[in-house]
Amino acid sequence: MRRSTIAAAALALAAATGTAVAQNEQFIPANGYWVGPYAPGGSGFFGGIIDYFQLLNERDGGINGVKLTWEKCETEYRNDRGVECYERSKKKGPTGATVIHPLSTGITYSLIDKATADHIPIISMGYGRADAADGRVFPYVFPLVTTYWSQADAMIKFIGQREGGMDKLKGKKIVLIYHDSAYGKEPHAVLEKLASQLGYQLTMIAVPHPGNEQQSQWLQVRQIRPDWVILWGWGVMNPTAIKAAAKIGFPRNKMVGVWWSGAEEDVIPAGSAAKGYISSGFNLPGTNFPVMQEILKYVYKKGKGEMDDKSRIGSIYHTRGVVAGIITAEAIRIAQTHFNKKGKPITGEEMRWGIENLNIDDKRLKELGAVGLMPTLRVSCMDHEGSGLVKFQEWDGAKWKPITDWIAADKKLIRPMMEASAAQYAKEKGITPRDCSREK
Amino acid sequence: MPTQVAFFVEVLAGGLLAGVMYALVALGFVLIYKASGVFNFAQGSMVFFAALTFVSLTERGWNFWLALAVTLVVMVVLGVVIERTVLRPLVNQPQITLFMATIGLTFVLEGLSQLIWGSQPHGLELGIADVPIDWLSQKLNINISQFDIFAAFVAGALVAVLAVFFQKTRIGRALRAVADDHQAALAVGIPLQHIWAIVWAVAGFVALVAGLMWGVRNGVQYALTFTALKALPVLLIGGFESIPGAIIGGLIIGATEKLAEVYVGPMFGGGIESWFAYVVALLFLLVRPEGLYGEKHIDRV
């Protein structure tokens, strides 16, 4: 009798303690992919996010005393699994899921309506719908840092720089080799519009999924003899394209890849053929940034790091995850202050406000130890992109080497396109856009 | 040579050589189907497993030949284990059951490969660069990769080795007997299970060769499993039981899909080659359901 009473009391105490701990935690689902064809991207990105959260927990005791918690759910980069993981994770933690990073354009599309209805923000950093940058129509979707459209514009600016001026693009031949999917077709409108303005000849060549055979596409490239090739690939399509370029003798330093064609995993399988290849990006690789040094000191030295393969610490996907971690944590921090919830977990709705009011300027980047790791970011109700800056890097055979400063996309060109597309979406869905002047 | 003619020749030659790469994968399917009547859905996973094992060993500092030998042993052991644990318990079960078992095997092998060696892509170079042959480029303005020529030689050598193995060795003759009639082979004392284990081991060897060739082209990564999809139309055309059929089927698919992509594709917005190969295969099926070199089965009613 006595023993059972003690056991019951112990259980009650454990339950009470457990509840107390849970109330002081902020739950962020890690719905990603660690197996399958796209595992290198998923494992690196989510490794970076979790490493940054672990750093905050180990070094600072969380955010204002609120520990960050997460749970992995394998989406396999599949839309159905992405939705399943979302449904499973949305009510976990004391306030439910704080924010979702789908790391997939397809999953992002599948979750927009659900997450909006559930008041859970989606951060689709560098992917997803470009027109979601119009926060009046997409209050819960944040295609942060740089959208595909801004990137396409920045790519043409970069090519213009290399040619000696934008006026020199007239008459040049540019070929877009793209993944034959919604993702691959994202830059079409921007590149076509720029072609009509700047006078370059644009040819767009589709590569069917998965892109492990591209001989005929590159024979067409050989026939066209372009001045530049833009590569809009994903997974195995990237090293195959680089190898196919070498096979027809097309110079790799005249190839510019999208940021999903610009990780170590995209060039290493191509071997020596990748030397000189250029890609764009919104985060830089490396472990010299102070924040990366802190991760090594507080997380990896304690054996709590996510990356089993230590050579991947500081790789493009890993630092991209760290950038996502920084953005997520900063939004939680300012939402806690704004809603007077320091030391308490915030809700998804409060997180939405936090993201929408992010202002990571140079000063804050320095405090975070992330100067040069990512561009400055200022989000608003009108602008859910918040930056539009792109950097270009070249693969020297062993590592990525930055070759430009941050290049800004032409907002005068991109913004009206985004607004028109968002307005069309609002019309189709019967959404009344928010009045941003009334947002506080 | 006029530019357009040279370009046509280049597309055609490139397609034929690409077809050889498809045939390398198709050969593994043919071997197992021929001996056991099982359509081994896991062949693509075996290609991935073999290449990943080889490249992971070389990256750990193993000598090329030692890594190759060890990988070969691993593939042979894998073949034997599959026969013992999956196929033997399913003897006399309907064909569809065996087919479903190989689908299960696909996912087990894919998961196992990533569990053991990780999911990171790797580069693979065999010392022959995938670049055009200078002489052809300069004299005829035709770009043909020296690696593609090498792959064609490898495929030719592989077919020759398999032909000798099937025609000239005792085990080969037993394999042919099993392929012709399981019951009759059993009746004359051929141990069916041993033969199946051997044929799975040989398929493992073929998977290793295909994995190395495709690994050089695309890098060694999970996507190597997709190579199986390239082999399917080849099998439909060449027949599931014929080694020469796999080669001829590969050449037909390779050449037609490349010509279609370059000359017809632009009319449809491009990207047609992946499904066009199946259109060609389906057309062949309408005319010759058993494939070009497949065996015609006539059942007495």
Side-chain angles (χ1 to χ4, degrees), chain A residues 11-25 93-94 345:
Chain A
L11 273 175
L13 184 67
T17 314
T19 310
V21 170
Q23 288 306 322
N24 206 26
E25 290 175 346

Side-chain angles (χ1 to χ4, degrees), chain B residues 47-114:
Chain B
V47 169
F48 172 52
F49 183 73
L52 189 61
T53 302
F54 171 78
V55 80
S56 299
L57 292 176
T58 53
E59 283 181 0
R60 280 162 177 76
W62 288 45
N63 169 282
F64 176 92
W65 294 108
L66 182 62
L68 193 68
V70 170
T71 309
L72 185 56
V73 170
V74 168
M75 292 311 291
V76 168
V77 171
L78 180 73
V80 173
V81 170
I82 289 171
E83 191 280 321
R84 283 284 163 90
T85 57
V86 182
L87 296 178
R88 196 175 288 191
L90 295 176
V91 167
N92 290 329
Q93 295 299 316
Q95 292 288 319
I96 189 67
T97 307
L98 290 162
F99 174 63
M100 295 308 285
T102 66
I103 291 180
L105 190 61
T106 304
F107 292 103
V108 171
L109 271 180
E110 286 172 8
L112 194 66
S113 311
Q114 293 176 89

Side-chain angles (χ1 to χ4, degrees), chain A residues 12-13 80 85 138 183 252 288 372 392:
Chain A
L13 184 67
D80 59 330
C85 284
F138 296 92
Y183 150 71
R252 267 40 53 75
N288 290 331
F392 290 83

Side-chain angles (χ1 to χ4, degrees), chain A residues 83-370:
Chain A
V83 173
E84 194 182 322
C85 284
Y86 168 81
E87 292 293 344
R88 198 185 298 167
S89 60
K90 73 179 184 185
K91 288 189 178 157
K92 288 201 171 164
T95 54
T98 315
V99 62
I100 299 282
H101 290 272
L103 199 60
S104 151
T105 293
I107 298 174
T108 303
Y109 272 68
S110 302
L111 292 181
I112 287 176
D113 290 347
K114 284 174 182 291
T116 304
D118 294 335
H119 292 188
I120 298 172
I122 295 172
I123 295 181
S124 57
M125 203 177 80
Y127 57 91
R129 292 186 75 109
D131 57 3
D134 188 341
R136 295 172 302 176
V137 177
F138 296 92
Y140 279 87
V141 189
F142 294 87
L144 290 178
V145 191
T146 315
T147 63
Y148 289 135
W149 293 2
S150 295
Q151 181 184 202
D153 181 68
M155 280 173 152
I156 297 299
K157 277 209 170 78
F158 166 76
I159 292 172
Q161 274 184 12
R162 286 283 165 123
E163 291 291 342
M166 298 306 279
D167 56 317
K168 302 281 193 306
L169 289 179
K170 194 174 172 63
K172 296 282 180 206
K173 290 180 188 170
I174 298 177
V175 166
L176 170 73
I177 295 274
Y178 67 95
H179 190 267
D180 197 8
S181 62
Y183 150 71
K185 289 171 185 166
E186 276 284 334
H188 288 198
V190 173
L191 293 176
E192 281 170 334
K193 190 157 193 171
L194 286 167
S196 66
Q197 284 180 2
L198 299 168
Y200 61 81
Q201 290 175 41
L202 176 68
T203 309
M204 299 189 284
I205 300 177
V207 174
H209 177 78
N212 57 351
E213 180 58 40
Q214 295 176 34
Q215 190 166 315
S216 31
Q217 286 80 6
W218 284 89
L219 281 173
Q220 290 174 68
V221 171
R222 185 166 123 75
Q223 206 180 28
I224 295 165
R225 297 184 189 279
D227 298 286
W228 288 86
V229 167
I230 294 175
L231 175 62
W232 211 276
W234 180 221
V236 69
M237 178 180 158
N238 295 321
T240 307
I242 294 168
K243 284 231 165 187
K247 205 167 154 181
I248 63 156
F250 186 81
R252 267 40 53 75
N253 62 0
K254 296 283 183 183
M255 277 178 85
V256 190
V258 63
W259 44 61
W260 303 114
S261 303
E264 291 80 356
E265 288 81 355
D266 300 313
V267 286
I268 289 171
S272 54
K275 201 172 174 187
Y277 167 72
I278 297 165
S279 89
S280 55
F282 56 83
N283 63 291
L284 290 187
T287 52
N288 290 331
F289 304 103
V291 65
M292 295 304 295
Q293 288 294 315
E294 298 268 280
I295 286 174
L296 288 172
K297 182 179 164 189
Y298 286 97
V299 181
Y300 281 91
K301 270 199 178 163
K302 291 183 178 176
K304 293 187 174 180
E306 267 294 297
M307 308 304 287
D308 292 331
D309 179 356
K310 302 292 179 282
S311 68
R312 294 181 68 204
I313 302 169
S315 64
I316 284 281
Y317 280 130
H318 186 248
T319 60
R320 190 167 298 166
V322 171
V323 169
I326 289 173
I327 287 170
T328 306
E330 286 301 288
I332 293 170
R333 200 184 299 278
I334 64 165
Q336 280 184 357
T337 307
H338 180 78
F339 293 102
N340 201 18
K341 278 195 160 179
K342 279 193 179 174
K344 294 175 192 160
I346 57 164
T347 64
E349 205 163 349
E350 290 162 345
M351 180 65 173
R352 191 200 67 75
W353 185 93
I355 304 169
E356 199 160 79
N357 287 275
L358 273 171
N359 181 13
I360 305 177
D361 56 11
D362 286 324
K363 182 170 165 279
R364 187 61 187 146
L365 278 179
K366 195 168 182 191
E367 288 166 0
L368 292 166

